Amino acid sequence: MARAVDLSALKARSEAAARSQSSGGTPAGGHGGEWVIDVTEQSFQAEVLERSLQIPVVVDLWASWCEPCKKLSPVLERLAAAGKGAWILAKVDIDANPRIAQAFGVQSIPMVVAVVGGQPVDAFSGAQPEPQVRQWIGSLLDALRDRMPAIREAEARAGTEDEAQAEEPDDPRFTAAEDALERGDYAAAEATYQEILNAEPANEQAAAALAQVRFLARAEAADPSAIARADAAPEDVAAQVAAADAELAADLVEAAFARLVAAAGRTFGEDRDRVREHLVGLFELFPADDPRVTSARRALARVLF
């Protein structure tokens, strides 16, 4: 960091609060399991300062009104889950915990601070791309691995778990579907995934794969001119659906979602159902916590209800 940050005053307040009530960190929404925790001014001492004596603690300073935070937080949560304890993600709502924000000298959010040995050692601001955040965390761990044995221990445990998972035999049904995909035989892949779902309706892996393969088949046939045709005919439901597929195939995710939300707001009856079902199908191509999906879901709810 460019300047030192004094956390001693916050530590004293945290200790005083801990004496008056027993309060620890709590899992933050379950996205990263035990490696992601919500931290308050009361739990800061135990969950950040003391824990950072053994393992790096990465503090995510955010607020509910901060749109960039909604993009960065899921990235940090995924990386924390993948790290499996090599570092801890501590999430801090600055509106509910202003003293923590003050202690870190927060001027804008999102702000991410690495705390080691009770002191900040590095930080960045803004919603950085996932590869850049992964590189930042990797550099942090590389610099601390020899000083903090707990990092190596966590990585060793994660390696053992990965090896055990790798030893599990592949499901021949999924192997057959993947082989069909490699051949470009989308119909065969779709039929295989559908057979798995018919036998196991709760198989989430097959459901996600089926949604992906159906979209891949549509995307390969998508006509980029469909977007212009749909713009010229906003009442044509088929054109709006085709244009949304073309936009998604071009990685214009938010545009595709916005198009179908607007179409749902203009239509009624069977046409509205068709638009809604298609949009929900597109949502299934992404993680449920993707901020683009959550934002579009809220927008769809507003036009439907």
Side-chain angles (χ1 to χ4, degrees):
M1 295 183 68
R3 58 187 177 85
V5 178
D6 183 9
L7 302 181
S8 58
L10 186 59
K11 174 181 176 181
R13 282 191 289 268
S14 180
E15 288 174 337
R19 287 193 295 269
S20 63
Q21 69 179 77
S22 175
S23 175
T26 57
H31 297 298
E34 59 189 303
W35 317 125
V36 180
I37 57 174
D38 285 315
V39 173
T40 66
E41 292 171 1
Q42 290 72 35
S43 62
F44 185 85
Q45 165 70 16
E47 298 297 337
V48 176
L49 299 184
E50 292 180 5
R51 185 174 284 198
S52 74
L53 300 176
Q54 304 296 327
I55 205 82
V57 177
V58 174
V59 181
D60 175 20
L61 297 137
W62 65 281
S64 59
W65 45 264
C66 169
E67 291 301 322
C69 298
K70 297 174 185 177
K71 298 180 183 296
L72 179 61
S73 288
V75 169
L76 291 167
E77 290 168 5
R78 286 196 297 272
L79 293 176
K84 297 181 180 179
W87 58 282
I88 300 297
L89 177 62
K91 297 173 64 63
V92 176
D93 181 346
I94 65 167
D95 288 337
N97 303 279
R99 290 193 180 101
I100 297 180
Q102 182 180 10
F104 282 117
V106 174
Q107 296 181 347
S108 65
I109 55 173
M111 179 176 178
V112 176
V113 184
V115 179
V116 176
Q119 291 295 323
V121 296
D122 201 0
F124 68 84
S125 297
Q128 305 294 331
E130 184 165 339
Q132 190 169 332
V133 178
R134 184 183 291 109
Q135 182 179 11
W136 182 81
I137 291 171
S139 298
L140 178 71
L141 297 179
D142 289 343
L144 296 169
R145 196 171 282 110
D146 291 337
R147 292 166 44 195
M148 306 185 90
I151 296 176
R152 290 189 186 278
E153 293 170 4
E155 290 173 337
R157 286 195 303 272
T160 301
E161 292 174 5
D162 291 342
E163 288 175 5
Q165 292 174 359
E167 291 171 0
E168 294 179 2
D170 291 334
D171 187 324
R173 300 171 302 174
F174 282 93
T175 301
E178 290 160 7
D179 289 344
L181 272 178
E182 290 182 4
R183 297 193 306 270
D185 191 345
Y186 296 120
E190 179 178 349
T192 303
Y193 287 130
Q194 188 62 63
E195 287 175 5
I196 297 172
L197 281 175
N198 291 342
E200 304 171 26
N203 192 314
E204 295 180 0
Q205 182 181 355
L210 181 60
Q212 292 281 352
V213 75
R214 284 175 173 169
F215 176 73
L216 286 172
R218 298 200 309 270
E220 189 167 277
D223 180 358
S225 65
I227 298 173
R229 289 199 299 272
D231 289 343
E235 303 304 321
D236 186 336
V237 171
Q240 299 307 314
V241 167
D245 281 349
E247 286 170 328
L248 205 64
D251 203 27
L252 301 173
V253 178
E254 290 169 318
F257 289 171
R259 176 182 297 279
L260 293 183
V261 168
R266 292 192 300 267
T267 53
F268 301 92
E270 292 182 359
D271 284 345
R272 171 175 279 191
D273 289 342
R274 179 182 177 186
V275 171
R276 178 186 58 79
E277 290 170 5
H278 195 83
L279 179 54
V280 170
L282 296 186
F283 290 160
E284 293 173 354
L285 300 174
F286 299 86
D289 61 356
D290 188 303
R292 297 168 298 185
V293 172
T294 54
S295 177
R297 283 190 185 278
R298 288 194 296 269
L300 180 62
R302 286 195 295 270
V303 301
L304 293 180
F305 306 108

